[in-house]
Amino acid sequence: MTERMDRWLTSRRLWMILGGTAVLWFLFTASMTILRYRLNYSSAYDFGIFSQMYYYMDKGLTPLTTCERDGLLSHFAVHLSPIFYVLLPLYKLVPRPETLLVLQAFMVISGVIPLCLLTRALGLTRLKTLCFGLVYCAYPAFMGGCFYDFHENKFLAVIILWTMYFLETGHYKSMACSAALLLLVKEDAPVYAACIGLYLFLYKKQYRYGFLVFAGSCLYFCMAIWYINRFGDGAMVNRFDNFISDKRLGLVSMFKTILVNPAYVLSQIAVREKLIFFLQMLLPLGFLPLMTRDWRKWTLIIPFVLINLMSNYKYQHSIFFQYTYGSGALLMYLAAVNYRDLMDIPQPACPTPASSQSLPKPRSSLPSSILYCGLACALMITAVVVYKKTYYIGSYAQDREKAAEARLLLSTIPEDASVKSTTFFIPQLSGRDEIYLADSRHPADYIVLDQRPGYEKDSQDLMADYLLQGYVVQGEVDGYVAVLGPAVPSH
């Protein structure tokens, strides 16, 4: 049966199936996240700040925001992410918040291309390549994270998988360029690059490139942390407070705790919500990333443990937020490599997708069964995610008229006016120089307050306060949103 399927699955059919699946994934994710935005379910953190940042980048190339830290500030003072400029030329074509969501969905699903090229380079058959491609498309963390709006972390999966593809095919200069691009994603991205450098040095025995990638990543990490501490708001090391016993030492104290008290580390990892997350990340891969006795491969699991499992910051161990893309990509790479090793597939001297055609048959069918079970788990978990996210379709049918009235009302606010708003209307208003949260210390020409039951618990109190300050209601969508302005309009 498997042999017959392999014969039927030509390269053209393989890419047609994967292409069709990727297109469906893209259409669903892009459309549902846009619905989320247009129904005002996206908040200031973290869509409003990035939408305003791109507004400023479109206007003057500087990544400024006013709503992120209640005042005009470069986003790079909070997170150092030059990678955002990669999307700027495309954003300039259609400078709207929805553009960011479309580009993000495309960027995430495009990671299926390097993964499938990688599996062919590893010597896997077209059928197994199809399985890995479908696992990528059905990986619940990659879809779930897109629904917490827009983040630089979404670059991680595609860049890491291209890096590993170049590594496996011996294109080390291209690999080094990809690793350099990886560093630009965020100040903590060097963790992924450094682990790739360790893997290259220890497992691949490419000592020169491994040392350069590892040392360069460590150096960039130190420079990025210094920059944020010196010119910005400081690195967010508080997310690892459970490991930092001496605040003066910062991250150094964290590594001291790990080395001195490994039992404490295990106690911080072995908790219910992290174990559930562990299963959600590894069940879709059939636990293949862990199926190796070679300790050198475990260097690529370090980011999963360090960033996702050790921190008590709850969003870092959830498949519905942005912290899974880097570790998820490395887990997928390890799954493919371990699958190859379990199947005893010999490697050509310079592996290429074409060279896999003449490889001998594997000795065992157990790894294939594991891969199929992983794919089944991925499909089941993602089916639940998809079902939950279709909620936005029902919400749109119910609230589209009020949402349209709200957009019309917000469009009456002059573009050059300063605005204070409750969190869920910040993204809609982000295309302006000054937009602040409703409790901001800054004065503003207009106030926008969420009137939906249960969305903003202090909305009525804020309304009363602003009316006492001399603002008047200038427009309202009953039970949805209210716009307050000066008694005598200044614009």
Side-chain angles (χ1 to χ4, degrees), residues 87-129:
L87 298 183
L88 184 57
L90 296 172
Y91 176 83
K92 279 180 170 291
L93 297 176
V94 186
R96 295 178 55 85
E98 295 96 327
T99 302
L100 298 177
L101 299 173
V102 171
L103 291 175
Q104 175 173 265
F106 177 79
M107 184 168 55
V108 171
I109 196 58
S110 68
V112 74
I113 298 172
L115 176 65
C116 291
L117 292 176
L118 172 64
T119 56
R120 296 298 282 154
L122 290 172
L124 274 60
T125 64
R126 286 188 286 268
L127 179 58
K128 301 309 182 292
T129 293

Side-chain angles (χ1 to χ4, degrees), residues 75-93:
H75 175 69
F76 291 176
V78 181
H79 291 300
L80 189 58
S81 303
I83 196 72
F84 280 128
Y85 284 102
V86 171
L87 298 183
L88 184 57
L90 296 172
Y91 176 83
K92 279 180 170 291
L93 297 176

Side-chain angles (χ1 to χ4, degrees), residues 180-377:
L181 187 63
L182 176 60
L183 298 178
L184 302 182
V185 173
K186 205 174 180 180
E187 67 276 3
D188 61 0
V191 172
Y192 305 102
C195 291
I196 292 172
L198 280 176
Y199 177 79
L200 193 59
F201 187 93
L202 296 172
Y203 184 71
K204 290 294 184 179
K205 299 189 185 303
Q206 292 290 331
Y207 301 117
R208 183 178 63 163
Y209 284 105
F211 175 78
L212 287 174
V213 171
F214 178 78
S217 301
C218 293
L219 178 61
Y220 183 86
F221 177 75
C222 293
M223 291 171 58
I225 296 300
W226 173 83
Y227 174 86
I228 293 175
N229 287 336
R230 177 68 177 81
F231 300 105
D233 278 8
M236 294 184 180
V237 297
N238 61 306
R239 295 179 180 181
F240 294 92
D241 276 351
N242 52 323
F243 289 95
I244 298 176
S245 57
D246 189 340
K247 300 291 184 183
R248 295 170 299 175
L249 296 177
L251 289 175
V252 176
S253 176
M254 172 184 169
F255 293 112
K256 177 184 174 183
T257 302
I258 294 170
L259 293 172
V260 172
N261 197 348
Y264 175 77
V265 176
L266 290 175
S267 73
Q268 294 296 296
I269 292 175
V271 295
R272 181 178 179 273
E273 61 271 18
K274 292 181 182 179
L275 292 175
I276 293 173
F277 171 76
F278 179 86
L279 294 175
Q280 290 171 331
M281 292 291 285
L282 285 168
L283 271 174
L285 299 173
F287 291 98
L288 282 168
L290 305 182
M291 293 183 183
T292 179
R293 295 180 180 179
D294 194 331
W295 64 270
R296 295 169 299 178
K297 290 183 183 178
W298 289 73
T299 54
L300 296 182
I301 296 182
I302 291 174
F304 179 55
V305 176
L306 179 64
I307 293 176
N308 299 117
L309 296 178
M310 286 176 56
S311 173
N312 280 347
Y313 186 58
K314 63 181 181 178
Y315 305 114
Q316 289 187 206
H317 44 268
S318 169
I319 64 169
F320 295 104
F321 292 89
Q322 69 271 21
Y323 300 101
T324 59
Y325 290 86
S327 53
L330 290 176
L331 290 175
M332 284 201 175
Y333 167 77
L334 276 175
V337 169
N338 289 344
Y339 177 85
R340 175 201 66 192
D341 294 345
L342 289 168
M343 296 288 280
D344 271 336
I345 300 175
Q347 283 297 285
C350 294
T352 62
S355 64
S356 63
Q357 299 302 314
S358 58
L359 293 174
K361 294 180 181 180
R363 301 176 189 173
S364 170
S365 61
L366 179 60
S368 295
S369 300
I370 293 171
L371 177 59
Y372 299 147
C373 288
L375 175 57
C377 289

